[in-house]
Amino acid sequence: MALPRKQLLPVLVLVLASYYYSARDEFRPEMLRGKRVIVTGASKGIGEEVAYHLARMGAHMVLTARSEGTLRKVASRCLELGAASAHSVPGSMEDTAFAENFVDTAARLLGGLDMLILNHIMAMSLELFGADVLGMRRALEVNFLSYVVLSVAAQPLLRPSNGSVVVVSSLAGKVPTPLLAPYAASKFALDGFFSSIRLENQMTGVNVSITLCILGLIDTDTAMEAVAGIMSAEAAPKQECALEIIKAGALRREEMFYGRPGWVQLLLLNPGRRVLELFSLQRYNLDNLPRPEARP
Ligand SMILES: NC(=O)c1ccc[n+]([C@@H]2O[C@H](COP(=O)([O-])OP(=O)(O)OC[C@H]3O[C@@H](n4cnc5c(N)ncnc54)[C@H](OP(=O)(O)O)[C@@H]3O)[C@@H](O)[C@H]2O)c1
Ligand SMILES: *[C@@H]1O[C@H](CO)[C@@H](O)[C@H](O)[C@H]1NC(C)=O
Ligand SMILES: *[C@@H]1O[C@H](CO)[C@@H](O)[C@H](O)[C@H]1NC(C)=O
């Protein structure tokens, strides 16, 4: 089948223009001053570093993870570093009711919401996939479904503030990865869901940005212990990683890559997917759509 040339040119110009313009605007830490931010998985690793950067930038924040004591320590360190406010709300994202109530609790503490940073994952070890269907279900519930629940609960807060959802994913959510099948499945699911919702937002004029963060190996304790002796790769520093996540969210980027080697970013651009996405958008007629169900 011949390509419809009439459409190809404007589409390519659009794609190039969007990369060109998205590279223009610059990050300033003041962008986060006074902003109301939720960080999940904030008790350690990348989430903890995200919290410290936000604190130095003067944001209001609500942090969550399961470990109550550690989380409280991270929150008080945030206050020392200059956070406008810092609360910790402990709980497990295995519990859907907690995930839903958590957003309401956080919004009450913050008086609204500007940015939702979804970062937690269930601890995982590198192993061949045998028959652990239960483990797969847990991975999907904690690493994927709770992200959906949290973002749904946050919609009524993010729409009035022109807010942002920042989803922390992985190269394993873009590239098939042995020894991590449940993790990879949950991270691919994030791309499928949040990238589709981003298109729906564009089609319906909802101004809530969605940023998907694709990370390579990062030097958190959890990751270093998991790969030790099994996989060799250069790990990038978690502090810089955390800053890049915040930058991408504040600049309302669609995707970012952080990791080593840096040129992986070029291979992830995947222009074929971009062009197909733009083509597919022209095929829909929204007039005959049923209205989405509102949350009770
Ligand atoms: N490190 C890497 O190499 C790497 C590479 C690619 C992508 N990433 C992504 O980066 C993000 C952070 O990774 P990380 O290395 O910083 O992980 P981490 O150090 O293990 O931190 C995970 C966080 O999630 C929380 N958590 C775990 N289970 C939870 C549950 N059931 N409910 C609620 N919170 C839970 C943990 O706190 P509690 O245990 O206190 O609950 C902790 O705060 C993840 O999305 C990961 O996929 C990391
Ligand atoms: C959201 O964006 C619209 C359009 O740019 C603007 O008119 C409105 O003031 C913004 N609202 C907030 C709370 O920033
Ligand atoms: C969306 O919100 C951002 C942040 O408030 C604002 O800069 C932008 O102009 C808004 N875009 C539209 C199309 O309303």
Side-chain angles (χ1 to χ4, degrees):
M1 200 189 78
L3 277 169
R5 269 195 234 161
K6 202 170 72 195
Q7 294 176 335
L8 194 59
L9 187 66
V11 165
L12 284 178
V13 168
L14 259 177
V15 171
L16 290 175
S18 81
Y19 283 130
Y20 181 78
Y21 284 109
S22 64
R24 295 291 98 181
D25 42 0
E26 244 175 59
F27 176 77
R28 289 166 289 112
E30 304 86 74
M31 286 174 164
L32 272 302
R33 188 178 302 144
K35 286 287 185 296
R36 301 154 299 178
V37 188
I38 287 176
V39 186
T40 74
S43 65
K44 57 180 173 177
I46 296 165
E48 179 184 2
E49 300 301 328
V50 166
Y52 296 152
H53 281 300
L54 288 170
R56 288 187 205 97
M57 293 168 190
H60 292 278
M61 56 185 84
V62 171
L63 311 176
T64 187
R66 291 167 306 174
S67 323
E68 191 170 354
T70 325
L71 198 61
R72 210 178 312 114
K73 278 186 206 138
V74 175
S76 32
R77 177 100 185 95
C78 284
L79 288 174
E80 287 166 25
L81 290 173
S85 68
H87 290 93
S88 57
V89 180
S92 175
M93 291 301 170
E94 270 186 83
D95 175 0
T96 306
F98 169 75
E100 244 183 48
N101 295 332
F102 164 72
V103 172
D104 292 339
T105 308
R108 229 177 305 118
L109 291 167
L110 294 166
L113 185 64
D114 297 296
M115 191 181 276
L116 173 66
I117 304 183
L118 301 172
N119 163 79
H120 63 276
I121 42 158
M122 136 188 162
M124 252 179 265
S125 45
L126 270 67
E127 58 195 16
L128 294 169
F129 188 73
D132 188 6
V133 177
L134 218 66
M136 175 67 86
R137 186 189 296 273
R138 274 191 68 213
L140 289 173
E141 280 173 359
V142 176
N143 301 357
F144 171 62
L145 206 59
S146 72
Y147 280 45
V148 176
V149 170
L150 291 163
S151 74
V152 166
Q155 280 310 303
L157 302 156
L158 291 173
R159 288 184 187 199
S161 66
N162 295 332
S164 306
V165 180
V166 178
V167 177
V168 179
S169 187
S170 164
L171 265 181
K174 288 283 187 185
V175 181
T177 307
L179 308 185
L180 281 171
Y183 176 80
S186 67
K187 293 297 194 184
F188 267 78
L190 290 174
D191 191 4
F193 177 74
F194 283 101
S195 302
S196 299
I197 296 301
R198 187 190 298 117
L199 292 181
E200 291 190 7
N201 286 350
Q202 282 166 17
M203 291 163 93
T204 54
V206 170
N207 192 12
V208 174
S209 67
I210 297 179
T211 301
L212 189 67
C213 303
I214 310 302
L215 309 182
L217 187 63
I218 310 299
D219 67 358
T220 64
D221 295 345
T222 314
M224 293 300 92
E225 278 162 31
V227 301
I230 300 177
M231 196 190 106
S232 61
E234 196 191 342
K238 59 186 177 181
Q239 292 84 359
E240 189 182 32
C241 175
L243 183 58
E244 292 304 316
I245 289 170
I246 295 168
K247 280 186 190 174
L251 294 173
R252 306 174 83 84
R253 296 260 193 276
E254 295 190 356
E255 286 194 5
M256 66 82 103
F257 170 76
Y258 178 79
R260 305 262 164 80
W263 49 258
V264 168
Q265 179 157 25
L266 285 176
L267 299 181
L268 285 171
L269 282 179
N270 199 351
R273 170 171 150 158
R274 295 282 297 185
V275 171
L276 286 171
E277 238 175 60
L278 287 167
F279 272 132
S280 80
L281 283 184
Q282 305 177 341
R283 293 202 198 104
Y284 296 96
N285 175 11
L286 293 191
D287 298 339
N288 297 324
L289 263 189
R291 307 299 308 157
E293 255 177 77
R295 222 165 44 107

